């Protein structure tokens, strides 16, 4: 399983593990298994007896390596000429439901002819570049800055494994016109071999800073070499490092001058001047992440052992002044993570107990126990999505091959959790289909695994408060036998991993309401060839758009959508499809007379651009493959800037037949957007900004979750009391004091902004009962080293202390028996039961939450939580 937590806009933290197998921890690098190898090689090369042990560990990690989900920065993509081993991945061992017996519902895609004028304009604005003589097996493409038009391309070819230390070769290309032309700039870095895995990195936001990491043999050099650029690759400066980096150098998300990285020997290195000067601020580091501001969190092992995370011997430290001073915020942890302003740690409170999560919302000053079911050695946690208001948490169901769990949603402190969705699919490879539809507030998509083995798609329009099946696409007709069980089901990460679909669902905040996804129509998701479906209202209504799988991209803030067929019959392509009406109808343009083997579709991050690049390769005269990129500029086709007459007012979340007072109300307020008319053929332009008007809504029961001891009654929005929890209060340990919560059954959804209306009663009472040290998570066996000179004092203190402790314990036990003998039992989490009918999914007290791309906290015996 994997935990991937977004650290900031240009980095992603990933943790992987398999149940009852070794742990692989990744920090935007799939090759981290090299870390243990290099640490050993650098420090223990003379201790040959350890080589066999380390070699076995490396092989084990290499075997698990394919399970790690790589969350790459959207600025950077990689292409390969050869078919990867990933296409031969193993699917779940569960029997696959046969869906080929009956024909699937179908539709007819709308196609419009391309006029001669349009064809001529596109021909004049189509630019092809062939990288003649480049024998690189992979291309890495990175955009530098926003709106600069600068693209850097790294071509690499590595030596065979039997000559690993001999490296390979690389070339560096640069484009300053959005990919219309490229120039070889390898001479600027003295033709140095740049490593393939994390050799090319661009700074966050609109910075023009670039870092190239050279592939330098470890044994022959005391440190590595990087090349830095502050002018988007026009020039580079060589920097000799005092260490060998074991991972990508991480930019600070606000100030790209601040860099941090872990070396192969576990050192934590920091630079405050964009890599010119480096300072080693700590040793034995396992992982790190930026927190709020310039706060940096990192875990380390005092003993420097490689498996400290598996034994729960890690310390968690924090520096708030860029390495000048440090504060230990937790010890004896297995792992940690930082998501949406919440700091999570995984610990075992008592020996032999399952692992639990502690959370801090104040940068580690205070920790409180998350009110979630504990996880055994065969289970894991996964933070699927989160912000400063709420966390989506997936909790794995017991069983080594369950492949599903329950999704929970938190309160605004990240402590109290309510059940949101049961039987949430989480594949054996650590793949979750949880998707945040960013083009519409509060919308999430994911898949569930039914008891009969069917996989079905559900959607929530109110941040997990309620889940329903997707509606049937408007232009798809179902058979007579399946009309009562005919819905759209969306392919996600699990399908992409197994080679069923080439792309995940796509949405963007600037293209309001637009969602593009692969799917199938029927009673469940199908493993047959998927089609492309489009929604223009955030997932309420869908329509079939393109037959067969495609690669697609959103341009011009949704005013233009482009697509390329993913699996043509002969494997080659020469056409691209584009739509100016959000995928309702398509035109086809033949962009080359010589078809290419398709490798990928790229555009500038975001949706402001109108340039699209098609990457691939074709054989040259010597039958060697030549890399080719074709860049098409659609700006000359859509020459007219959109005016006021091209836009219309649109109420988000509006449904037919709804109450006018609450129509469009989601999470307490309405939003009216200014969006482009379907029939307007114009361009929004780079300066386009989404315009919206907000207005508050009166509170209703829909703005509340069912609190502890309550459930949502079938076919009703009312929260009903559970009989077995009558007269019980929820007891939560907060900041060292026990807090009792008594409610009328409702808890407001985090980030809900409703005003007035329905207002249930909530009573919070803090009782003077100490419930543990809140400054740190309690641990079973905190690691400490006792100096010899203190041993005598400890022996004396222990002898006298035992007598005192026995007396105190007897007194406390007597008082508690007298005072708390009739106290109600403590329940760990609140319960939310959703309606159980044809349009919704029921959740019971055992459910959990999850999200896409996102964060997973493994809790099994091999690895836990965040790294």
């Amino acid at each position: 399983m994997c935990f991937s937590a977004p650290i900031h806009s240009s980095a992603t933290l990933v943790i992987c593990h398999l149940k009852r197998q070794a742990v692989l921890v990744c920090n935007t690098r799939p090759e981290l298994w090299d870390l243990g190898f290099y640490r050993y090689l650098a420090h223990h090369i003379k201790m040959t007896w350890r080589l066999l042990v380390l070699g076995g560990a490396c092989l084990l990690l290499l075997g698990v390596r394919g399970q790690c989900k790589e969350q790459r920065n959207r600025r950077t993509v990689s292409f390969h000429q050869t078919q990867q081993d990933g296409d031969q991945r193993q699917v779940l061992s569960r029997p696959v439901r046969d869906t080929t017996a009956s024909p699937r519902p179908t539709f007819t895609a709308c196609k419009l002819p391309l006029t001669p004028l349009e064809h001529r304009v596109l021909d004049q604005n189509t630019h092809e570049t062939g990288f003649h003589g480049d024998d690189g097996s992979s291309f890495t493409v990175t955009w530098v800055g926003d709106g600069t038009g600068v693209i850097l391309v790294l071509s690499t070819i590595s030596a065979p494994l039997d000559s690993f230390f001999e490296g390979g070769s690389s070339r560096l290309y640069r484009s300053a016109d959005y990919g219309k032309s490229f120039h070889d700039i390898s001479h600027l870095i003295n033709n140095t071999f740049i490593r393939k895995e994390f050799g090319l990195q661009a700074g966050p936001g609109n910075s023009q800073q670039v870092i190239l990491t050279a592939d330098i043999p470890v044994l022959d050099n005391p440190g590595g070499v990087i090349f830095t650029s502050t002018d988007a690759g026009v020039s580079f400066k060589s920097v000799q490092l005092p260490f060998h980096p074991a991972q990508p150098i991480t930019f600070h998300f606000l100030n790209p001058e601040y860099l941090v990285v872990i070396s192969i020997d576990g050192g934590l290195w920091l630079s405050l001047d964009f890599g010119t000067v480096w300072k080693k601020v700590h040793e034995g580091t396992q992982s790190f992440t930026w927190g709020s501001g310039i706060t940096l969190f990192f875990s380390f092992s005092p003993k420097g052992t490689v498996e400290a995370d598996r034994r729960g011997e890690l310390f968690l430290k924090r520096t708030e002044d860029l390495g000048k001073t440090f504060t230990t915020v937790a010890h004896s942890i297995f792992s940690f993570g930082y998501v949406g302003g919440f700091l999570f740690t995984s610990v075992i409170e008592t020996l032999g107990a399952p692992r639990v999560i502690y959370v801090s919302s104040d940068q580690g000053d205070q920790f409180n126990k998350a009110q979630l079911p504990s996880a055994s050695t065969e289970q894991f946690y996964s933070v699927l999505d989160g912000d400063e208001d709420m966390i989506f948490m997936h909790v794995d169901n017991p069983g080594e091959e369950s492949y599903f769990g329950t999704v929970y949603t938190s309160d605004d402190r990240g402590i109290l959790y309510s059940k949101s969705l049961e039987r949430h699919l989480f594949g054996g490879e650590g793949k979750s289909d949880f998707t945040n539809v960013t083009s519409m507030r509060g919308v999430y998509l994911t898949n569930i695994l039914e008891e009969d083995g069917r996989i079905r798609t559900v959607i929530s329009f109110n941040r997990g408060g309620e889940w329903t099946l997707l509606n049937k696409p408007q232009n798809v007709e179902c058979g007579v036998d399946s009309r009562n069980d005919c819905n759209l089901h969306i392919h996600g990460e699990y399908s992409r991993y197994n080679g069923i679909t080439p792309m995940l669902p796509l949405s963007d905040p600037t293209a309001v309401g637009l969602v593009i996804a692969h799917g199938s129509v029927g009673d469940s998701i199908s493993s047959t060839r998927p089609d492309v479906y489009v929604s223009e209202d955030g997932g309420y209504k869908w329509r079939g758009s393109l037959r067969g799988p495609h690669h697609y991209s959103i341009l011009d803030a949704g005013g233009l959508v482009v697509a390329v067929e993913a699996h043509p019959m002969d494997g080659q392509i020469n056409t691209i499809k584009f739509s100016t009406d959000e995928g309702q109808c398509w035109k086809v343009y033949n962009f080359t007379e010589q078809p290419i083997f398709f490798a990928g579709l790229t555009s500038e991050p975001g949706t402001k651009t109108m340039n699209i690049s098609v990457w691939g390769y074709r054989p040259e005269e010597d039958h060697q493959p030549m890399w080719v990129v074709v860049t098409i500029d659609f700006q000359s086709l859509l020459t007219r800037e959109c005016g006021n007459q091209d836009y219309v007012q649109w109420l988000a979340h509006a449904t037919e037949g709804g109450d006018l007072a609450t129509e469009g109300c989601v999470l307490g307020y309405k939003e009216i957007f200014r969006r482009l008319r379907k029939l307007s053929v114009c361009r929004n332009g780079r300066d386009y900004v989404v315009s919206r008007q907000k207005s508050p809504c009166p509170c209703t029961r829909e703005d509340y979750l069912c609190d502890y001891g309550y459930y949502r009654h079938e076919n009703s929005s009312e929260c009903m009391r559970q009989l077995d929890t009558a007269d019980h209060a929820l007891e939560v340990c907060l900041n060292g004091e026990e807090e009792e919560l008594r409610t009328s059954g409702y808890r407001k959804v985090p980030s809900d902004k409703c005003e007035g209306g329905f207002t249930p009663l909530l009573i919070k009472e803090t009782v003077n009962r100490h419930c543990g040290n809140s400054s740190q998570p309690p641990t079973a066996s905190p690691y400490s080293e006792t100096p010899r000179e203190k041993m005598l004092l400890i022996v004396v203190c222990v002898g006298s202390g035992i007598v005192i402790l026995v007396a105190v314990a007897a007194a406390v036990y007597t008082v508690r028996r007298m005072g708390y003998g009739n106290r109600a039992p403590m329940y760990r989490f609140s319960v939310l039961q959703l309606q159980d009918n044809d349009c919704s999914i029921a959740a019971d007290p055992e459910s959990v939450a999850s999200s896409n791309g996102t964060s997973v906290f493994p809790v099994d015996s091999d690895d836990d939580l965040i790294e």
Side-chain angles (χ1 to χ4, degrees):
M1 298 297 173
C2 293
F3 168 79
S4 59
I7 303 175
H8 49 74
S9 61
S10 62
T12 301
L13 187 65
V14 184
I15 292 187
C16 298
H17 80 286
L18 288 181
K19 296 181 178 180
R20 299 189 179 184
Q21 294 188 26
V23 177
L24 172 62
V25 179
C26 306
N27 203 339
T28 63
R29 61 197 191 278
E31 76 296 335
L32 185 61
W33 63 278
D34 290 340
L35 176 59
F37 179 77
Y38 282 137
R39 283 181 179 174
Y40 168 81
L41 206 57
H43 294 279
H44 305 288
I45 193 66
K46 296 181 181 181
M47 305 175 65
T48 57
W49 65 273
R50 293 190 180 182
L51 182 58
L52 294 177
V53 177
L54 182 61
C58 287
L59 289 175
L60 184 56
L61 291 177
L62 181 60
V64 182
R65 174 182 173 188
Q67 305 297 332
C68 184
K69 174 183 175 181
E70 183 183 7
Q71 297 287 343
R72 297 186 66 90
N73 177 10
R74 289 185 61 191
R75 291 182 179 273
T76 303
V77 294
S78 295
F79 305 124
H80 306 274
Q81 286 184 349
T82 57
Q83 194 74 7
Q84 300 302 300
D85 295 338
D87 289 338
Q88 302 176 2
R89 300 170 178 130
Q90 298 295 318
V91 298
L92 300 183
S93 58
R94 182 192 312 110
V96 178
R97 177 184 172 91
D98 183 10
T99 59
T100 61
S102 59
R104 56 174 179 159
T106 186
F107 61 90
T108 300
C110 174
K111 296 182 180 180
L112 298 177
L114 191 68
T115 67
L117 177 60
E118 291 174 329
H119 201 290
R120 186 165 58 254
V121 170
L122 289 175
D123 282 345
Q124 295 171 351
N125 292 275
T126 297
H127 310 269
E128 179 174 316
T129 301
F131 297 85
H132 299 277
D134 192 309
D135 56 357
S137 59
S138 68
F139 265 37
T140 300
V141 182
T142 295
W143 280 263
V144 182
D146 293 332
T148 63
V150 175
I151 304 174
L152 294 181
V153 176
L154 176 66
S155 167
T156 56
I157 180 170
S158 300
L161 291 177
D162 55 3
S163 59
F164 175 79
F165 293 102
E166 297 179 5
S169 64
S170 64
R171 290 187 183 181
L172 184 65
Y173 302 93
R174 184 178 187 270
S175 171
D177 52 10
Y178 293 93
K180 298 173 184 176
S181 62
F182 285 87
H183 304 281
D184 190 337
I185 59 171
S186 303
H187 63 280
L188 296 179
I189 56 173
N190 301 319
N191 296 298
T192 304
F193 176 34
I194 303 301
R195 61 182 305 153
K196 170 183 174 182
E197 293 82 7
F198 51 84
L200 174 58
Q201 297 172 265
N206 200 30
S207 70
Q208 298 190 30
Q209 286 148 307
V210 179
I211 297 177
L212 303 176
T213 304
D215 196 312
I216 302 295
V218 175
L219 296 181
D220 301 334
N221 299 276
V225 173
I226 62 172
F227 295 88
T228 61
S229 173
T230 58
D231 52 14
V234 174
S235 62
F236 285 91
K237 180 179 71 173
S238 176
V239 178
Q240 177 68 50
L241 299 177
F243 60 90
H244 287 279
Q247 62 176 125
I249 296 173
T250 300
F251 291 86
H252 186 271
F253 53 93
L254 294 178
N255 189 344
E257 294 288 318
Y258 298 163
L259 306 176
V260 63
V261 69
I262 297 177
S263 60
I264 60 174
D265 60 354
L268 183 65
W269 293 81
L270 194 65
S271 172
L272 305 182
D273 54 6
F274 189 50
T276 301
V277 177
W278 290 86
K279 177 183 178 182
K280 188 176 184 178
V281 297
H282 213 279
E283 295 183 348
T285 310
Q286 294 282 331
S287 63
F288 68 87
T289 180
W290 289 107
S292 176
I294 59 172
T295 300
L296 182 68
F297 297 100
F298 63 92
S299 62
F300 73 98
S301 169
K303 294 182 178 180
T305 55
V306 176
E307 297 184 348
D309 54 339
R310 299 178 63 181
R311 295 194 294 267
E313 296 179 352
L314 293 179
F315 278 53
L316 178 59
K317 278 191 175 183
R318 175 189 69 200
T319 175
E320 299 176 281
D321 51 14
L322 300 173
K324 296 179 182 178
T325 60
F326 300 91
T327 302
T328 300
V329 297
H331 57 75
S332 301
I333 69 170
F334 290 87
S335 50
F336 81 98
Y338 186 82
V339 182
F342 297 99
L343 179 64
F344 295 90
T345 62
S346 169
V347 301
I348 289 181
E349 295 179 303
T350 58
L351 292 175
R355 303 184 188 185
V356 295
I357 291 179
Y358 274 76
V359 61
S360 171
S361 58
D362 56 7
Q363 304 293 297
D365 288 335
Q366 299 288 334
F367 280 90
N368 293 291
K369 184 177 180 180
Q371 301 301 300
L372 282 164
S374 58
S376 67
T377 57
E378 294 182 349
Q379 296 173 268
F380 64 91
Y381 297 108
S382 169
V383 175
L384 303 171
D385 192 43
D387 55 25
E388 67 278 4
D389 293 319
M390 190 175 74
I391 293 291
F392 282 92
M393 182 80 73
H394 171 101
V395 180
D396 185 39
N397 269 35
E400 192 168 353
E401 296 184 357
S402 63
Y403 303 119
F404 66 90
T406 304
V407 175
Y408 293 86
T409 55
S410 76
D411 63 356
D412 55 3
R413 298 173 296 183
I415 301 172
L416 295 178
Y417 287 80
S418 295
K419 184 179 298 185
S420 175
L421 178 67
E422 285 188 307
R423 301 195 65 86
H424 177 248
L425 177 67
F426 212 113
E429 304 86 2
K431 305 300 177 183
S432 168
D433 294 338
F434 197 89
T435 302
N436 180 10
V437 178
T438 58
S439 61
M440 183 82 97
R441 176 176 54 94
V443 181
Y444 290 85
L445 280 169
T446 194
N447 285 317
I448 60 172
L449 178 63
E450 300 282 16
E451 294 183 0
D452 58 5
R454 293 181 300 168
I455 297 176
R456 311 182 81 187
T457 300
V458 291
I459 188 169
S460 174
F461 298 104
N462 57 356
R463 299 199 75 184
E466 194 173 22
W467 297 85
T468 63
L469 294 171
L470 270 66
N471 292 322
K472 177 186 72 66
Q474 296 171 322
N475 60 342
V476 175
E477 293 297 330
C478 296
V480 177
D481 297 335
S482 59
R483 287 182 179 176
N484 294 329
D485 199 3
C486 181
N487 301 90
L488 176 62
H489 304 280
I490 299 299
H491 289 279
E493 181 62 47
Y494 176 69
S495 292
R496 186 176 70 163
Y497 178 84
N498 288 301
I500 299 175
T501 178
M503 284 196 67
L504 298 176
L506 179 63
S507 62
D508 191 273
T510 61
V512 177
L514 182 60
V515 190
I516 309 174
H518 287 92
S520 58
V521 178
D523 66 342
S524 63
I525 203 165
S526 172
S527 60
T528 57
R529 184 178 171 89
D531 297 320
V532 176
Y533 295 86
V534 173
S535 174
E536 61 186 43
D537 59 3
Y540 286 94
K541 297 178 182 178
W542 296 81
R543 64 176 179 272
S545 184
L546 290 171
R547 297 297 307 277
H550 285 71
H551 293 263
Y552 38 73
S553 184
I554 300 174
L555 308 179
D556 192 37
L560 181 67
V561 180
V562 296
V564 173
E565 190 175 357
H567 304 297
M569 296 299 294
D570 59 356
Q572 301 182 78
I573 64 166
N574 60 358
T575 61
I576 188 171
K577 303 172 184 179
F578 66 94
S579 171
T580 57
D581 55 9
E582 297 183 335
Q584 184 171 335
C585 289
W586 298 83
K587 294 184 178 182
V588 180
Y589 168 59
N590 189 326
F591 60 80
T592 181
E593 295 180 356
Q594 295 179 284
I596 61 175
F597 289 94
F598 179 73
L601 190 68
T602 66
S603 62
E604 183 185 18
T607 65
K608 293 183 178 181
T609 185
M610 296 192 71
N611 293 274
I612 191 72
S613 296
V614 183
W615 292 83
Y617 53 93
R618 70 165 69 101
E620 289 192 281
E621 294 181 357
D622 59 357
H623 304 293
Q624 294 298 316
M626 176 187 69
W627 281 100
V628 176
V629 57
V630 180
T631 298
I632 306 168
D633 186 352
F634 284 91
Q635 184 166 333
S636 297
L637 186 65
L638 302 177
T639 57
R640 186 175 66 87
E641 292 282 349
C642 297
N644 292 331
Q645 72 279 5
D646 295 302
Y647 295 95
V648 62
Q649 298 293 313
W650 179 71
L651 176 62
H653 291 287
T655 56
E656 296 180 0
D659 185 357
L660 294 179
T662 59
E663 184 73 5
C665 288
V666 170
L667 300 176
Y669 62 95
K670 300 180 181 182
E671 285 181 303
I672 298 178
F673 291 90
R674 181 173 175 262
R675 61 184 299 182
L676 194 63
R677 295 179 183 271
K678 291 290 181 297
L679 299 180
S680 291
V681 181
C682 58
R683 68 167 182 259
N684 289 309
R686 297 193 67 91
D687 297 331
Y688 173 78
V689 177
V690 176
S691 175
R692 75 186 74 192
Q693 299 175 1
K694 299 180 181 179
S695 57
C697 296
C699 295
T700 67
R701 284 185 171 86
E702 302 298 333
D703 295 297
Y704 292 83
L705 302 173
C706 290
D707 214 331
Y708 156 78
Y710 291 79
Y711 68 97
R712 201 173 295 278
H713 192 269
E714 183 178 354
N715 298 323
S716 171
S717 61
E718 184 178 359
C719 292
M720 308 293 293
R721 181 185 294 276
Q722 291 182 202
L723 296 179
D724 57 349
T725 61
D727 300 325
H728 291 172
L730 175 61
E731 301 172 0
V732 182
C733 186
L734 293 175
N735 302 327
E737 298 293 333
E738 194 168 88
E739 183 178 278
E740 289 189 356
L741 301 180
R742 297 182 181 274
T743 77
S744 57
Y746 299 89
R747 177 163 58 88
K748 200 169 188 179
V749 176
S751 74
D752 194 295
K753 308 299 183 183
C754 68
E755 300 177 358
F758 178 74
T759 307
L761 180 65
L762 171 63
I763 300 176
K764 295 183 180 180
E765 179 180 354
T766 301
V767 295
N768 294 323
R769 291 198 291 266
H770 183 69
C771 55
N773 179 15
S774 63
S775 61
Q776 291 188 7
T779 53
S781 55
Y783 170 79
S784 61
E785 293 186 6
T786 306
R788 292 182 178 180
E789 58 269 25
K790 295 183 179 180
M791 290 301 297
L792 180 60
L793 178 60
I794 290 178
V795 171
V796 173
C797 292
V798 168
S800 58
I802 288 177
V803 178
I804 299 175
L805 288 175
V806 170
V808 172
V812 170
Y813 177 78
T814 302
V815 171
R816 287 188 173 180
R817 290 284 293 179
M818 295 175 61
Y820 305 137
N822 297 322
R823 194 175 71 179
M826 177 177 176
Y827 285 77
R828 306 180 64 85
F829 55 93
S830 58
V831 177
L832 170 65
Q833 289 192 342
L834 303 181
Q835 296 179 5
D836 187 9
N837 53 41
D838 293 339
C839 300
S840 62
I841 305 301
D844 68 45
E846 300 299 328
S847 299
V848 180
S850 84
S851 149
N852 185 21
T854 295
S855 30
V856 174
F857 303 8
V859 190
D860 86 355
S861 57
D862 302 317
D863 186 53
D864 197 344
L865 225 50
I866 318 159
E867 219 280 332

